[in-house]
Structure formats: structure tokens, C-alpha cells
Amino acid sequence: MENIRFLLTLLILAVLLRSLVVAPFNIPSESMLPRLLVGDYLFVAKWPYGYSRYSFPFGLAPIDGRIPSGAPDRGDVVVFKTPSDNSTDYIKRVIGLPGDIIQIRGGQIILNGTPVPRVRVADFIDPVTPNSPCRPEPGLNIVEETATDGSRICRYQRYRETLPNGRSYDVLDLGNVPFADDTPTYVVPQGHYFLMGDNRDRSADSRYPAQVDGAIGMVPSENIVGRALVMFFSTDGSAEWLKPWTWPGAVRWSRLGGGF
């Protein structure tokens, strides 16, 4: 009985920690390049925006809205449940708040009638690994090259974007992609947010209608699980489970501890 009580206590504490404080999340796609790579693992903070039913496992908590009330700001990187099924976790950046009017013209965000400043900066260079393949396509600004040390790298055009609140971050623009770079005008409904991936031409985000295993549409406030907090692990995918000596070389050590 003592062992059972101890294990139950551990289980309850683990559930409370994951529900109320932090939860782990791993990056499965390239939609948030260059900030997040496939194989990154990060902690998501649960408390900054208050708690909703989706802050808890399986969305079983009987909460209507958020308690206490809280809201993300433009530029925050958030994890959320996709509106199409209210169960799949995605990660994107908050661009539009309730009531905002948004359009994309020539790849540039027009927020409430004002273009969001976007400045060309140095190319993003990503080493080619199992978790980070290079996928050049005709007409897109993606180039696979050989570095001076003989390794393969992928080169992307990178821009620095600055939102009205002063938040700056890097985005990738792969070229002229129909619809993604020139969209209709959106009005963000009350209680919802307009989210985008930093890898603008490879992100199924709020520019597209919500669908299962696809785009997200406008994201309701209660679907937001939490804010990206800190990177605690990252792997390039080259390790083999049955060969422990390959594990250290697969860790992207320089990425550990990076905040948001």
C-alpha cells in the first residue's frame, strides 16, 4: 500500500506539473524555421495566459474560457490545439489579435492598414541532416551547397520582421508562392488569434481555412495551451538507438537553453 500511495502521489504531481506549470513539446515540421528546427524539444509555459480546458490532459477540465483571463501578445510563440479537431498540438507565432485587419501582399504583412517592416538580413544556413533535409524546388530561393569543410548545407533567404509592439524575429521567404504571398483581407474575430509560421511559404496557418491534419484557420483563445519557454534538447536525427556512441554527436548542443 505504501508503494501504491507513493506511485499515485507521483502520478498526481506529474499531472499537476504538466497541467499547471510546464509541458514538453517537440517540433515535427519545418513551419517555424529558422527559429525552430525539426528535432527541437522545448518546454511550454502554462501560466502566462491563464488556464483553459485544453491546458489539461484530454481537455477534460470543466473550464469555460480562461481562468484567470489572459491573452498572448503579438510575436509570442504559442502551442495550441488545432480548431479542426481540438486535439492535435501545433506551434505558431501570434501575428493578429482580436479585431485586427490583416492581409499579405507580396509576402509582406499589412496589419491594420500599415505594412509590417521587413528587412533583408544574412541568409539562414542550415546543415543538412536527417532531421533537416534540403528540398530545393524550381522557382524557390532554396539552395543546397557544399561548405568549406565538405559538409552539405541548405541556404534560405532570411528577413527580419518587426511588429508594432517592437517584437522582432526572423522569417524565411522562399519566393513567390501563389496565395501564401498575396491573400484576401482577414478580420480576426473576437476571442480568436491569427497565427503564422516563420517559414512563411511552408506553413499551413491562419491564412488557410481550418481542416484536419492541415491548416488551422483562426485559433480560439481557449485552444491556446501555453507559450514557448525554453529549449531543453535538440537532435539532428543522425543517432542510432542501438549505437549509444552516436548519441552525443547527434545533439545540437548550441541550441540548448535558448529562450523565446
Side-chain angles (χ1 to χ4, degrees):
M1 288 302 297
E2 286 298 323
N3 289 337
I4 292 174
R5 276 196 290 268
F6 175 72
L7 292 175
L8 286 176
T9 300
L10 281 182
L11 178 61
I12 292 171
L13 288 175
V15 171
L16 289 175
L17 178 67
R18 195 182 189 286
S19 301
L20 301 178
V21 186
V22 294
F25 182 79
N26 72 288
I27 304 303
S29 77
E30 301 175 347
S31 71
M32 283 297 290
L33 285 175
R35 180 63 190 90
L36 295 170
L37 308 180
V38 175
D40 284 348
Y41 290 75
L42 53 94
F43 284 123
V44 177
K46 292 295 192 74
W47 68 87
Y49 312 133
Y51 302 94
S52 74
R53 59 180 296 190
Y54 298 113
S55 301
F56 298 84
F58 311 111
L60 297 177
I63 296 177
D64 185 19
R66 305 197 74 88
I67 301 175
S69 61
D73 200 359
R74 293 189 184 94
D76 285 359
V77 176
V78 300
V79 170
F80 58 95
K81 300 292 184 182
T82 54
S84 58
D85 60 12
N86 295 320
S87 63
T88 307
D89 288 329
Y90 273 25
I91 186 167
K92 303 289 182 188
R93 190 179 297 276
V94 177
I95 300 297
L97 306 181
D100 280 346
I101 301 173
I102 299 173
Q103 186 180 22
I104 315 299
R105 297 183 202 155
Q108 186 172 28
I109 297 171
I110 312 298
L111 181 60
N112 296 322
T114 302
V116 171
R118 193 176 73 149
V119 179
R120 181 78 160 88
V121 295
D123 289 346
F124 172 60
I125 307 298
D126 190 22
V128 175
T129 69
N131 274 349
S132 296
C134 197
R135 297 183 292 147
E137 296 180 29
L140 296 186
N141 300 316
I142 310 172
V143 180
E144 185 171 347
E145 301 175 344
T146 301
T148 53
D149 62 1
S151 63
R152 301 299 294 170
I153 59 173
C154 203
R155 181 183 296 273
Y156 301 86
Q157 286 192 3
R158 178 166 52 176
Y159 294 79
R160 188 73 171 170
E161 200 168 80
T162 303
L163 294 171
N165 61 358
R167 294 285 293 276
S168 292
Y169 48 88
D170 291 345
V171 300
L172 302 183
D173 189 342
L174 307 184
N176 184 18
V177 176
F179 188 86
D181 286 341
D182 292 281
T183 71
T185 298
Y186 307 94
V187 178
V188 185
Q190 291 301 314
H192 291 69
Y193 294 88
F194 190 95
L195 311 184
M196 297 181 73
D198 293 345
N199 189 358
R200 291 293 162 74
D201 297 318
R202 284 182 173 165
S203 176
D205 48 39
S206 293
R207 290 170 289 182
Y208 307 91
Q211 57 182 355
V212 176
D213 297 325
I216 60 175
M218 304 288 178
V219 177
S221 172
E222 69 172 8
N223 283 51
I224 295 177
V225 173
R227 186 179 69 199
L229 182 63
V230 65
M231 193 96 63
F232 69 87
F233 185 69
S234 182
T235 175
D236 65 15
S238 63
E240 299 182 43
W241 285 112
L242 298 180
K243 298 179 180 179
W245 57 89
T246 66
W247 299 353
V251 178
R252 301 180 181 119
W253 298 101
S254 63
R255 298 186 62 76
L256 274 57
F260 295 84

